[in-house]
Amino acid sequence: MHLNRKRVLTFGTFDLFHFGHLKLLQRAAKLGDELFVGISSDSLNFAKKSRLPIMNEFERAHIVASLKCVNSVFLEESLELKRQYLLRYEADILVMGDDWSGKFDEFADICEVIYLPRTKNISTSELLQRIKNDF
Ligand code: C2G
C-alpha cells in the first residue's frame, strides 16, 4: 500500500490499440487508485509468437501511457519476471483479461489477482481481418 493508495498492475501487448484494450484498462483502473501497465517488449513477443508486433514497443508504450486512466508504463521483458515486476512496482492488485484465467493465481500470495471478462468481437487479429476484408 502506498500512502493508502491502491495500485493496480496489468500486462499486455496492446498492439493496434483498440476498444477491447481501452475497456480492459478503464475497468482495471477503477479497481484501485492508480494503474501501472507492463507493455510486453518486442523481443518478448518475438520469443513467444515468432513474429514482431505491428507497432513497436516505443509506439505501444507511448499510446498506453497517454491514456487518462493510466498512471505509468514499463516494459515487460520476460514472462518469468512477473513476480519481480509485481514486487518492484508494489502491486496491490494484478488484473488480466479472462483469456488468462487461472494463469496468474500463483501470485495471490503477494497481491489480489483479478480476471476481467474480455470485450467480445474485437481483437488485434479480428481488426486485421476486418481490414483485409475491406480492401
Ligand atoms: N483484452 C480484452 N478484450 C479484448 C482484447 C483484449 O479485455 N477484446 C485484454 C486482454 O485480455 C489483456 C489486455 O486486453 O488483458 C491486453 O491484450 P493483449 O495486448 O492481447 O495482451 P496479451 O498479448 O495477452 O499480453 O504478460 C502477459 C502478456 O503481456 C499479455
Side-chain angles (χ1 to χ4, degrees), residues 25-43:
L25 293 174
Q26 288 178 332
R27 284 178 293 156
K30 282 204 186 119
L31 295 171
D33 301 302
E34 52 190 15
L35 175 63
F36 281 29
V37 185
I39 308 285
S40 58
S41 67
D42 291 340
S43 56

Side-chain angles (χ1 to χ4, degrees), residues 10-15 18-25 27 38-41 44-45 48-49 60 76 78-79 82 95-100 104 116-124:
T10 191
F11 295 88
T13 309
F14 302 102
D15 197 16
H18 60 66
F19 187 67
H21 293 145
L22 181 64
K23 296 321 282 177
L24 188 284
L25 293 174
R27 284 178 293 156
I39 308 285
S40 58
S41 67
L44 169 56
N45 273 278
K48 227 168 46 171
K49 302 176 188 165
R60 294 181 287 110
E76 179 186 25
S78 157
L79 293 178
K82 273 228 168 45
V95 171
M96 292 299 296
D98 63 2
D99 44 329
W100 291 95
F104 298 114
L116 295 176
R118 277 170 69 92
T119 302
K120 291 193 177 30
N121 304 322
I122 188 145
S123 67
T124 300

Side-chain angles (χ1 to χ4, degrees), residues 10-112:
T10 191
F11 295 88
T13 309
F14 302 102
D15 197 16
L16 295 181
F17 193 87
H18 60 66
F19 187 67
H21 293 145
L22 181 64
K23 296 321 282 177
L24 188 284
L25 293 174
Q26 288 178 332
R27 284 178 293 156
K30 282 204 186 119
L31 295 171
D33 301 302
E34 52 190 15
L35 175 63
F36 281 29
V37 185
I39 308 285
S40 58
S41 67
D42 291 340
S43 56
L44 169 56
N45 273 278
F46 194 79
K48 227 168 46 171
K49 302 176 188 165
S50 307
R51 69 162 182 85
L52 287 169
I54 292 161
M55 288 158 46
N56 68 41
E57 60 193 25
F58 179 83
E59 297 166 325
R60 294 181 287 110
H62 272 257
I63 288 170
V64 173
S66 73
L67 297 170
K68 233 194 275 180
C69 61
V70 172
N71 295 84
S72 189
V73 299
F74 60 92
L75 274 189
E76 179 186 25
E77 302 276 5
S78 157
L79 293 178
E80 280 71 51
L81 291 176
K82 273 228 168 45
R83 180 171 290 273
Q84 277 95 312
Y85 292 126
L86 291 166
L87 292 170
R88 184 187 305 163
Y89 296 106
E90 302 183 322
D92 297 297
I93 309 179
L94 167 63
V95 171
M96 292 299 296
D98 63 2
D99 44 329
W100 291 95
S101 236
K103 300 256 165 59
F104 298 114
D105 290 356
E106 65 190 280
F107 304 124
D109 59 331
I110 51 169
C111 61
E112 195 179 341

